[in-house]
Amino acid sequence: MKEILLNRKLNRFGTILFNIGMFCAVLLFFSVFVYVLIIAYWVIAVLLFAVIIICSLGLILTDSGSRAFMGHALSAPMENIEAIQLVTKQCAIPFCIVSCLSFIAALVFFFILPKTRGKTPKIVFCFLGIVIAVVSAFLSYNIAIHG
Amino acid sequence: MKKLTILLLPRYAKFVFTCNATELIFKKNTSGYYESTYESENDEVDIKIDTLPSELVEKHWGCYFLGAFLVSIFSIFNPPYPKRDLFVLHYVGKINMKDNPTITIAFANPLKDGKALLLKDEVSQLYFSDNASNVYRLDIKAKKRRSLIIFLRVMMIILFIIGFIVLTILFTI
């Protein structure tokens, strides 16, 4: 019984790290495709929304330039790829590091755990996530710099 | 030597199943059921089925919650505490082992004071003794703590937004 309860706690902390890693990896992945697929624009817009919503709220309230930018953003999404390009350039490497470290830590937790529901898919996704995060960060950073 | 075979329908319930104080280990068989066997000389065996208590009523739950709260960036990436863990089952009963029976049991969807273990065929009903302990009980303490955590999560998001707006205003003035 005690062992099961301990495993449940380990599973929770492993899942938290997995979620953080996956969030960063997916953000990086779609940031590569934002230049070629319009659907990726909307996916990344939703993901970035979670990160920048607070910044936007603050800026809209205080800065007239930002207010104009947000108004523009809502009316013409295609032209805002430049804004995503800027975010990608600034954040690709930190996001990649956070993603990889989270996945590695999550893998340690999952390898400790005995066989449980969803353990194997999570381990597979961790390895995939590391590869995706590194490749996406490299590609998106280069595209952002060289255009 | 008499042999008891127990088949459990797959469910998300986390449980500990004991026969005469021996914990049974269930393995998935080819039909997709969880199967375990128990052998004994006796005609009757005492069984005990307990579901795991919620994480929110464990010892030092506050420390673990605080740790998860900080690691998950104010609970944003924290998996939810499942509602089904609020319902607990402590079943104690007997099983007749005279004819080497195979019993098929399923966990019902948790409802307050609702039946917890359902027998899936008529043969199982002959051997399995149903009694008053076969009900889900709602853990009030866990329910209160879960509500508190949900409230805290919402409050943290609101406070975070307000805090950022205030800070931004202060820096831009």
Side-chain angles (χ1 to χ4, degrees), chain A residues 43-78:
Chain A
V43 174
I44 203 167
V46 170
L47 292 170
L48 276 175
F49 185 71
V51 180
I52 61 169
I53 184 169
I54 299 155
C55 306
S56 308
L57 272 170
L59 287 168
I60 291 163
L61 283 174
T62 54
D63 184 43
S64 57
S66 302
R67 201 179 300 144
F69 172 77
M70 285 308 287
H72 184 69
L74 292 168
S75 59
M78 275 302 283

PDB file of all heavy atoms in Angstrom, chain A residues 43-78:
ATOM      1  N   VAL A  43      -2.359  27.743 -34.095  1.00  0.00           N
ATOM      2  CA  VAL A  43      -1.940  26.867 -32.984  1.00  0.00           C
ATOM      3  C   VAL A  43      -0.935  27.602 -32.101  1.00  0.00           C
ATOM      4  O   VAL A  43      -1.067  27.654 -30.872  1.00  0.00           O
ATOM      5  CB  VAL A  43      -1.334  25.542 -33.519  1.00  0.00           C
ATOM      6  CG1 VAL A  43      -0.766  24.712 -32.378  1.00  0.00           C
ATOM      7  CG2 VAL A  43      -2.375  24.738 -34.258  1.00  0.00           C
ATOM      8  N   ILE A  44       0.055  28.198 -32.743  1.00  0.00           N
ATOM      9  CA  ILE A  44       1.085  28.897 -31.968  1.00  0.00           C
ATOM     10  C   ILE A  44       0.496  30.136 -31.294  1.00  0.00           C
ATOM     11  O   ILE A  44       0.904  30.514 -30.192  1.00  0.00           O
ATOM     12  CB  ILE A  44       2.306  29.242 -32.846  1.00  0.00           C
ATOM     13  CG1 ILE A  44       3.519  29.419 -31.942  1.00  0.00           C
ATOM     14  CG2 ILE A  44       2.105  30.460 -33.705  1.00  0.00           C
ATOM     15  CD1 ILE A  44       4.820  29.449 -32.663  1.00  0.00           C
ATOM     16  N   ALA A  45      -0.484  30.729 -31.949  1.00  0.00           N
ATOM     17  CA  ALA A  45      -1.120  31.908 -31.345  1.00  0.00           C
ATOM     18  C   ALA A  45      -1.788  31.530 -30.021  1.00  0.00           C
ATOM     19  O   ALA A  45      -1.668  32.247 -29.018  1.00  0.00           O
ATOM     20  CB  ALA A  45      -2.137  32.501 -32.304  1.00  0.00           C
ATOM     21  N   VAL A  46      -2.445  30.367 -30.020  1.00  0.00           N
ATOM     22  CA  VAL A  46      -3.110  29.893 -28.794  1.00  0.00           C
ATOM     23  C   VAL A  46      -2.076  29.581 -27.708  1.00  0.00           C
ATOM     24  O   VAL A  46      -2.231  29.965 -26.548  1.00  0.00           O
ATOM     25  CB  VAL A  46      -3.983  28.642 -29.091  1.00  0.00           C
ATOM     26  CG1 VAL A  46      -4.482  27.997 -27.812  1.00  0.00           C
ATOM     27  CG2 VAL A  46      -5.155  29.024 -29.975  1.00  0.00           C
ATOM     28  N   LEU A  47      -0.983  28.905 -28.120  1.00  0.00           N
ATOM     29  CA  LEU A  47       0.052  28.542 -27.138  1.00  0.00           C
ATOM     30  C   LEU A  47       0.758  29.783 -26.593  1.00  0.00           C
ATOM     31  O   LEU A  47       0.973  29.908 -25.383  1.00  0.00           O
ATOM     32  CB  LEU A  47       1.082  27.600 -27.777  1.00  0.00           C
ATOM     33  CG  LEU A  47       0.587  26.205 -28.133  1.00  0.00           C
ATOM     34  CD1 LEU A  47       1.610  25.472 -28.967  1.00  0.00           C
ATOM     35  CD2 LEU A  47       0.297  25.405 -26.870  1.00  0.00           C
ATOM     36  N   LEU A  48       1.084  30.698 -27.494  1.00  0.00           N
ATOM     37  CA  LEU A  48       1.753  31.922 -27.042  1.00  0.00           C
ATOM     38  C   LEU A  48       0.822  32.777 -26.193  1.00  0.00           C
ATOM     39  O   LEU A  48       1.255  33.500 -25.309  1.00  0.00           O
ATOM     40  CB  LEU A  48       2.235  32.739 -28.245  1.00  0.00           C
ATOM     41  CG  LEU A  48       3.591  32.321 -28.815  1.00  0.00           C
ATOM     42  CD1 LEU A  48       3.887  33.114 -30.077  1.00  0.00           C
ATOM     43  CD2 LEU A  48       4.707  32.569 -27.808  1.00  0.00           C
ATOM     44  N   PHE A  49      -0.455  32.651 -26.495  1.00  0.00           N
ATOM     45  CA  PHE A  49      -1.452  33.407 -25.745  1.00  0.00           C
ATOM     46  C   PHE A  49      -1.341  33.119 -24.245  1.00  0.00           C
ATOM     47  O   PHE A  49      -1.424  34.025 -23.424  1.00  0.00           O
ATOM     48  CB  PHE A  49      -2.845  33.043 -26.256  1.00  0.00           C
ATOM     49  CG  PHE A  49      -3.943  33.859 -25.628  1.00  0.00           C
ATOM     50  CD1 PHE A  49      -4.087  35.194 -25.957  1.00  0.00           C
ATOM     51  CD2 PHE A  49      -4.822  33.301 -24.724  1.00  0.00           C
ATOM     52  CE1 PHE A  49      -5.093  35.951 -25.380  1.00  0.00           C
ATOM     53  CE2 PHE A  49      -5.827  34.043 -24.136  1.00  0.00           C
ATOM     54  CZ  PHE A  49      -5.961  35.380 -24.472  1.00  0.00           C
ATOM     55  N   ALA A  50      -1.083  31.818 -23.955  1.00  0.00           N
ATOM     56  CA  ALA A  50      -0.934  31.427 -22.542  1.00  0.00           C
ATOM     57  C   ALA A  50       0.269  32.107 -21.896  1.00  0.00           C
ATOM     58  O   ALA A  50       0.266  32.406 -20.717  1.00  0.00           O
ATOM     59  CB  ALA A  50      -0.790  29.913 -22.437  1.00  0.00           C
ATOM     60  N   VAL A  51       1.304  32.369 -22.710  1.00  0.00           N
ATOM     61  CA  VAL A  51       2.529  32.972 -22.171  1.00  0.00           C
ATOM     62  C   VAL A  51       2.412  34.491 -22.106  1.00  0.00           C
ATOM     63  O   VAL A  51       2.808  35.130 -21.130  1.00  0.00           O
ATOM     64  CB  VAL A  51       3.748  32.574 -23.045  1.00  0.00           C
ATOM     65  CG1 VAL A  51       5.033  33.175 -22.509  1.00  0.00           C
ATOM     66  CG2 VAL A  51       3.881  31.075 -23.135  1.00  0.00           C
ATOM     67  N   ILE A  52       1.847  35.078 -23.170  1.00  0.00           N
ATOM     68  CA  ILE A  52       1.899  36.549 -23.260  1.00  0.00           C
ATOM     69  C   ILE A  52       0.617  37.269 -22.853  1.00  0.00           C
ATOM     70  O   ILE A  52       0.569  38.496 -22.896  1.00  0.00           O
ATOM     71  CB  ILE A  52       2.307  37.010 -24.674  1.00  0.00           C
ATOM     72  CG1 ILE A  52       1.292  36.542 -25.718  1.00  0.00           C
ATOM     73  CG2 ILE A  52       3.704  36.538 -25.019  1.00  0.00           C
ATOM     74  CD1 ILE A  52       1.494  37.174 -27.078  1.00  0.00           C
ATOM     75  N   ILE A  53      -0.384  36.519 -22.440  1.00  0.00           N
ATOM     76  CA  ILE A  53      -1.663  37.177 -22.115  1.00  0.00           C
ATOM     77  C   ILE A  53      -1.499  38.271 -21.042  1.00  0.00           C
ATOM     78  O   ILE A  53      -2.042  39.369 -21.173  1.00  0.00           O
ATOM     79  CB  ILE A  53      -2.743  36.144 -21.700  1.00  0.00           C
ATOM     80  CG1 ILE A  53      -4.067  36.848 -21.469  1.00  0.00           C
ATOM     81  CG2 ILE A  53      -2.341  35.350 -20.470  1.00  0.00           C
ATOM     82  CD1 ILE A  53      -5.250  35.911 -21.327  1.00  0.00           C
ATOM     83  N   ILE A  54      -0.696  37.950 -20.061  1.00  0.00           N
ATOM     84  CA  ILE A  54      -0.520  38.891 -18.955  1.00  0.00           C
ATOM     85  C   ILE A  54       0.274  40.114 -19.426  1.00  0.00           C
ATOM     86  O   ILE A  54      -0.083  41.254 -19.118  1.00  0.00           O
ATOM     87  CB  ILE A  54       0.157  38.199 -17.765  1.00  0.00           C
ATOM     88  CG1 ILE A  54      -0.727  37.040 -17.290  1.00  0.00           C
ATOM     89  CG2 ILE A  54       0.419  39.161 -16.630  1.00  0.00           C
ATOM     90  CD1 ILE A  54       0.020  35.957 -16.589  1.00  0.00           C
ATOM     91  N   CYS A  55       1.308  39.838 -20.220  1.00  0.00           N
ATOM     92  CA  CYS A  55       2.123  40.950 -20.748  1.00  0.00           C
ATOM     93  C   CYS A  55       1.236  41.866 -21.600  1.00  0.00           C
ATOM     94  O   CYS A  55       1.290  43.096 -21.466  1.00  0.00           O
ATOM     95  CB  CYS A  55       3.247  40.417 -21.613  1.00  0.00           C
ATOM     96  SG  CYS A  55       4.259  39.200 -20.814  1.00  0.00           S
ATOM     97  N   SER A  56       0.418  41.240 -22.456  1.00  0.00           N
ATOM     98  CA  SER A  56      -0.440  42.025 -23.347  1.00  0.00           C
ATOM     99  C   SER A  56      -1.411  42.878 -22.562  1.00  0.00           C
ATOM    100  O   SER A  56      -1.602  44.060 -22.855  1.00  0.00           O
ATOM    101  CB  SER A  56      -1.229  41.088 -24.263  1.00  0.00           C
ATOM    102  OG  SER A  56      -0.360  40.217 -24.892  1.00  0.00           O
ATOM    103  N   LEU A  57      -2.015  42.288 -21.532  1.00  0.00           N
ATOM    104  CA  LEU A  57      -2.991  43.029 -20.726  1.00  0.00           C
ATOM    105  C   LEU A  57      -2.348  44.267 -20.105  1.00  0.00           C
ATOM    106  O   LEU A  57      -2.915  45.357 -20.143  1.00  0.00           O
ATOM    107  CB  LEU A  57      -3.529  42.129 -19.620  1.00  0.00           C
ATOM    108  CG  LEU A  57      -4.735  41.268 -19.979  1.00  0.00           C
ATOM    109  CD1 LEU A  57      -4.985  40.270 -18.864  1.00  0.00           C
ATOM    110  CD2 LEU A  57      -5.962  42.132 -20.176  1.00  0.00           C
ATOM    111  N   GLY A  58      -1.169  44.051 -19.564  1.00  0.00           N
ATOM    112  CA  GLY A  58      -0.455  45.164 -18.936  1.00  0.00           C
ATOM    113  C   GLY A  58      -0.108  46.242 -19.932  1.00  0.00           C
ATOM    114  O   GLY A  58      -0.311  47.435 -19.686  1.00  0.00           O
ATOM    115  N   LEU A  59       0.367  45.788 -21.098  1.00  0.00           N
ATOM    116  CA  LEU A  59       0.800  46.756 -22.114  1.00  0.00           C
ATOM    117  C   LEU A  59      -0.382  47.519 -22.716  1.00  0.00           C
ATOM    118  O   LEU A  59      -0.295  48.722 -22.932  1.00  0.00           O
ATOM    119  CB  LEU A  59       1.574  46.027 -23.216  1.00  0.00           C
ATOM    120  CG  LEU A  59       2.985  45.569 -22.823  1.00  0.00           C
ATOM    121  CD1 LEU A  59       3.540  44.616 -23.855  1.00  0.00           C
ATOM    122  CD2 LEU A  59       3.910  46.760 -22.653  1.00  0.00           C
ATOM    123  N   ILE A  60      -1.453  46.782 -22.956  1.00  0.00           N
ATOM    124  CA  ILE A  60      -2.630  47.433 -23.549  1.00  0.00           C
ATOM    125  C   ILE A  60      -3.123  48.552 -22.642  1.00  0.00           C
ATOM    126  O   ILE A  60      -3.497  49.636 -23.087  1.00  0.00           O
ATOM    127  CB  ILE A  60      -3.763  46.401 -23.794  1.00  0.00           C
ATOM    128  CG1 ILE A  60      -3.361  45.442 -24.902  1.00  0.00           C
ATOM    129  CG2 ILE A  60      -5.074  47.080 -24.150  1.00  0.00           C
ATOM    130  CD1 ILE A  60      -4.179  44.174 -24.940  1.00  0.00           C
ATOM    131  N   LEU A  61      -3.104  48.276 -21.339  1.00  0.00           N
ATOM    132  CA  LEU A  61      -3.620  49.255 -20.381  1.00  0.00           C
ATOM    133  C   LEU A  61      -2.722  50.484 -20.274  1.00  0.00           C
ATOM    134  O   LEU A  61      -3.180  51.575 -19.990  1.00  0.00           O
ATOM    135  CB  LEU A  61      -3.762  48.610 -18.999  1.00  0.00           C
ATOM    136  CG  LEU A  61      -4.965  47.697 -18.823  1.00  0.00           C
ATOM    137  CD1 LEU A  61      -4.888  47.025 -17.470  1.00  0.00           C
ATOM    138  CD2 LEU A  61      -6.272  48.486 -18.930  1.00  0.00           C
ATOM    139  N   THR A  62      -1.437  50.290 -20.500  1.00  0.00           N
ATOM    140  CA  THR A  62      -0.509  51.389 -20.201  1.00  0.00           C
ATOM    141  C   THR A  62       0.109  52.050 -21.424  1.00  0.00           C
ATOM    142  O   THR A  62       0.451  53.226 -21.370  1.00  0.00           O
ATOM    143  CB  THR A  62       0.641  50.861 -19.324  1.00  0.00           C
ATOM    144  OG1 THR A  62       1.216  49.744 -19.970  1.00  0.00           O
ATOM    145  CG2 THR A  62       0.149  50.466 -17.947  1.00  0.00           C
ATOM    146  N   ASP A  63       0.249  51.322 -22.499  1.00  0.00           N
ATOM    147  CA  ASP A  63       0.989  51.863 -23.632  1.00  0.00           C
ATOM    148  C   ASP A  63       0.096  51.984 -24.865  1.00  0.00           C
ATOM    149  O   ASP A  63      -0.492  51.008 -25.314  1.00  0.00           O
ATOM    150  CB  ASP A  63       2.184  50.925 -23.911  1.00  0.00           C
ATOM    151  CG  ASP A  63       3.063  51.474 -25.005  1.00  0.00           C
ATOM    152  OD1 ASP A  63       3.327  52.691 -24.994  1.00  0.00           O
ATOM    153  OD2 ASP A  63       3.463  50.680 -25.878  1.00  0.00           O
ATOM    154  N   SER A  64       0.016  53.174 -25.431  1.00  0.00           N
ATOM    155  CA  SER A  64      -0.875  53.392 -26.572  1.00  0.00           C
ATOM    156  C   SER A  64      -0.351  52.672 -27.817  1.00  0.00           C
ATOM    157  O   SER A  64      -1.119  52.202 -28.646  1.00  0.00           O
ATOM    158  CB  SER A  64      -1.028  54.880 -26.841  1.00  0.00           C
ATOM    159  OG  SER A  64       0.246  55.449 -27.052  1.00  0.00           O
ATOM    160  N   GLY A  65       0.953  52.580 -27.952  1.00  0.00           N
ATOM    161  CA  GLY A  65       1.563  51.878 -29.094  1.00  0.00           C
ATOM    162  C   GLY A  65       1.176  50.414 -29.107  1.00  0.00           C
ATOM    163  O   GLY A  65       0.818  49.865 -30.145  1.00  0.00           O
ATOM    164  N   SER A  66       1.211  49.800 -27.932  1.00  0.00           N
ATOM    165  CA  SER A  66       0.862  48.384 -27.822  1.00  0.00           C
ATOM    166  C   SER A  66      -0.618  48.172 -28.094  1.00  0.00           C
ATOM    167  O   SER A  66      -1.016  47.169 -28.669  1.00  0.00           O
ATOM    168  CB  SER A  66       1.177  47.872 -26.421  1.00  0.00           C
ATOM    169  OG  SER A  66       2.524  48.060 -26.155  1.00  0.00           O
ATOM    170  N   ARG A  67      -1.400  49.150 -27.648  1.00  0.00           N
ATOM    171  CA  ARG A  67      -2.851  49.055 -27.882  1.00  0.00           C
ATOM    172  C   ARG A  67      -3.119  49.014 -29.393  1.00  0.00           C
ATOM    173  O   ARG A  67      -3.902  48.229 -29.886  1.00  0.00           O
ATOM    174  CB  ARG A  67      -3.544  50.263 -27.241  1.00  0.00           C
ATOM    175  CG  ARG A  67      -5.005  50.032 -26.964  1.00  0.00           C
ATOM    176  CD  ARG A  67      -5.630  51.240 -26.307  1.00  0.00           C
ATOM    177  NE  ARG A  67      -5.020  51.587 -25.048  1.00  0.00           N
ATOM    178  CZ  ARG A  67      -4.844  52.826 -24.614  1.00  0.00           C
ATOM    179  NH1 ARG A  67      -5.195  53.860 -25.359  1.00  0.00           N
ATOM    180  NH2 ARG A  67      -4.300  53.063 -23.443  1.00  0.00           N
ATOM    181  N   ALA A  68      -2.397  49.863 -30.104  1.00  0.00           N
ATOM    182  CA  ALA A  68      -2.547  49.912 -31.559  1.00  0.00           C
ATOM    183  C   ALA A  68      -2.066  48.602 -32.185  1.00  0.00           C
ATOM    184  O   ALA A  68      -2.705  48.068 -33.086  1.00  0.00           O
ATOM    185  CB  ALA A  68      -1.733  51.072 -32.115  1.00  0.00           C
ATOM    186  N   PHE A  69      -0.972  48.061 -31.635  1.00  0.00           N
ATOM    187  CA  PHE A  69      -0.424  46.810 -32.151  1.00  0.00           C
ATOM    188  C   PHE A  69      -1.414  45.662 -31.960  1.00  0.00           C
ATOM    189  O   PHE A  69      -1.636  44.856 -32.862  1.00  0.00           O
ATOM    190  CB  PHE A  69       0.902  46.482 -31.444  1.00  0.00           C
ATOM    191  CG  PHE A  69       1.431  45.118 -31.778  1.00  0.00           C
ATOM    192  CD1 PHE A  69       2.053  44.877 -32.991  1.00  0.00           C
ATOM    193  CD2 PHE A  69       1.292  44.058 -30.887  1.00  0.00           C
ATOM    194  CE1 PHE A  69       2.532  43.618 -33.308  1.00  0.00           C
ATOM    195  CE2 PHE A  69       1.759  42.804 -31.197  1.00  0.00           C
ATOM    196  CZ  PHE A  69       2.387  42.591 -32.411  1.00  0.00           C
ATOM    197  N   MET A  70      -2.033  45.618 -30.785  1.00  0.00           N
ATOM    198  CA  MET A  70      -2.987  44.532 -30.506  1.00  0.00           C
ATOM    199  C   MET A  70      -4.212  44.634 -31.408  1.00  0.00           C
ATOM    200  O   MET A  70      -4.736  43.637 -31.875  1.00  0.00           O
ATOM    201  CB  MET A  70      -3.412  44.549 -29.032  1.00  0.00           C
ATOM    202  CG  MET A  70      -2.363  44.040 -28.068  1.00  0.00           C
ATOM    203  SD  MET A  70      -1.697  42.435 -28.484  1.00  0.00           S
ATOM    204  CE  MET A  70      -3.071  41.384 -28.064  1.00  0.00           C
ATOM    205  N   GLY A  71      -4.650  45.871 -31.642  1.00  0.00           N
ATOM    206  CA  GLY A  71      -5.779  46.096 -32.549  1.00  0.00           C
ATOM    207  C   GLY A  71      -5.436  45.602 -33.942  1.00  0.00           C
ATOM    208  O   GLY A  71      -6.222  44.916 -34.599  1.00  0.00           O
ATOM    209  N   HIS A  72      -4.210  45.888 -34.345  1.00  0.00           N
ATOM    210  CA  HIS A  72      -3.711  45.463 -35.642  1.00  0.00           C
ATOM    211  C   HIS A  72      -3.603  43.932 -35.688  1.00  0.00           C
ATOM    212  O   HIS A  72      -3.964  43.312 -36.692  1.00  0.00           O
ATOM    213  CB  HIS A  72      -2.335  46.101 -35.833  1.00  0.00           C
ATOM    214  CG  HIS A  72      -1.737  45.815 -37.175  1.00  0.00           C
ATOM    215  ND1 HIS A  72      -2.236  46.342 -38.343  1.00  0.00           N
ATOM    216  CD2 HIS A  72      -0.675  45.041 -37.521  1.00  0.00           C
ATOM    217  CE1 HIS A  72      -1.497  45.913 -39.350  1.00  0.00           C
ATOM    218  NE2 HIS A  72      -0.549  45.120 -38.884  1.00  0.00           N
ATOM    219  N   ALA A  73      -3.141  43.362 -34.583  1.00  0.00           N
ATOM    220  CA  ALA A  73      -2.961  41.906 -34.488  1.00  0.00           C
ATOM    221  C   ALA A  73      -4.278  41.167 -34.693  1.00  0.00           C
ATOM    222  O   ALA A  73      -4.326  40.138 -35.354  1.00  0.00           O
ATOM    223  CB  ALA A  73      -2.373  41.530 -33.132  1.00  0.00           C
ATOM    224  N   LEU A  74      -5.323  41.708 -34.131  1.00  0.00           N
ATOM    225  CA  LEU A  74      -6.616  41.031 -34.228  1.00  0.00           C
ATOM    226  C   LEU A  74      -7.202  41.159 -35.631  1.00  0.00           C
ATOM    227  O   LEU A  74      -7.968  40.303 -36.058  1.00  0.00           O
ATOM    228  CB  LEU A  74      -7.585  41.608 -33.188  1.00  0.00           C
ATOM    229  CG  LEU A  74      -7.220  41.285 -31.734  1.00  0.00           C
ATOM    230  CD1 LEU A  74      -8.056  42.125 -30.796  1.00  0.00           C
ATOM    231  CD2 LEU A  74      -7.431  39.810 -31.439  1.00  0.00           C
ATOM    232  N   SER A  75      -6.854  42.209 -36.339  1.00  0.00           N
ATOM    233  CA  SER A  75      -7.455  42.410 -37.653  1.00  0.00           C
ATOM    234  C   SER A  75      -6.650  41.748 -38.782  1.00  0.00           C
ATOM    235  O   SER A  75      -7.213  41.370 -39.793  1.00  0.00           O
ATOM    236  CB  SER A  75      -7.609  43.902 -37.928  1.00  0.00           C
ATOM    237  OG  SER A  75      -6.331  44.508 -37.876  1.00  0.00           O
ATOM    238  N   ALA A  76      -5.331  41.635 -38.646  1.00  0.00           N
ATOM    239  CA  ALA A  76      -4.532  41.066 -39.741  1.00  0.00           C
ATOM    240  C   ALA A  76      -3.486  40.078 -39.206  1.00  0.00           C
ATOM    241  O   ALA A  76      -2.324  40.426 -39.033  1.00  0.00           O
ATOM    242  CB  ALA A  76      -3.846  42.197 -40.502  1.00  0.00           C
ATOM    243  N   PRO A  77      -3.888  38.821 -38.954  1.00  0.00           N
ATOM    244  CA  PRO A  77      -2.970  37.866 -38.324  1.00  0.00           C
ATOM    245  C   PRO A  77      -1.720  37.541 -39.148  1.00  0.00           C
ATOM    246  O   PRO A  77      -0.660  37.324 -38.596  1.00  0.00           O
ATOM    247  CB  PRO A  77      -3.815  36.618 -38.116  1.00  0.00           C
ATOM    248  CG  PRO A  77      -4.959  36.768 -39.030  1.00  0.00           C
ATOM    249  CD  PRO A  77      -5.194  38.210 -39.193  1.00  0.00           C
ATOM    250  N   MET A  78      -1.864  37.483 -40.485  1.00  0.00           N
ATOM    251  CA  MET A  78      -0.721  37.087 -41.315  1.00  0.00           C
ATOM    252  C   MET A  78       0.470  38.030 -41.147  1.00  0.00           C
ATOM    253  O   MET A  78       1.619  37.629 -41.245  1.00  0.00           O
ATOM    254  CB  MET A  78      -1.138  37.033 -42.791  1.00  0.00           C
ATOM    255  CG  MET A  78      -1.769  35.711 -43.205  1.00  0.00           C
ATOM    256  SD  MET A  78      -0.699  34.301 -42.918  1.00  0.00           S
ATOM    257  CE  MET A  78       0.417  34.464 -44.298  1.00  0.00           C
TER     258      MET A  78
END
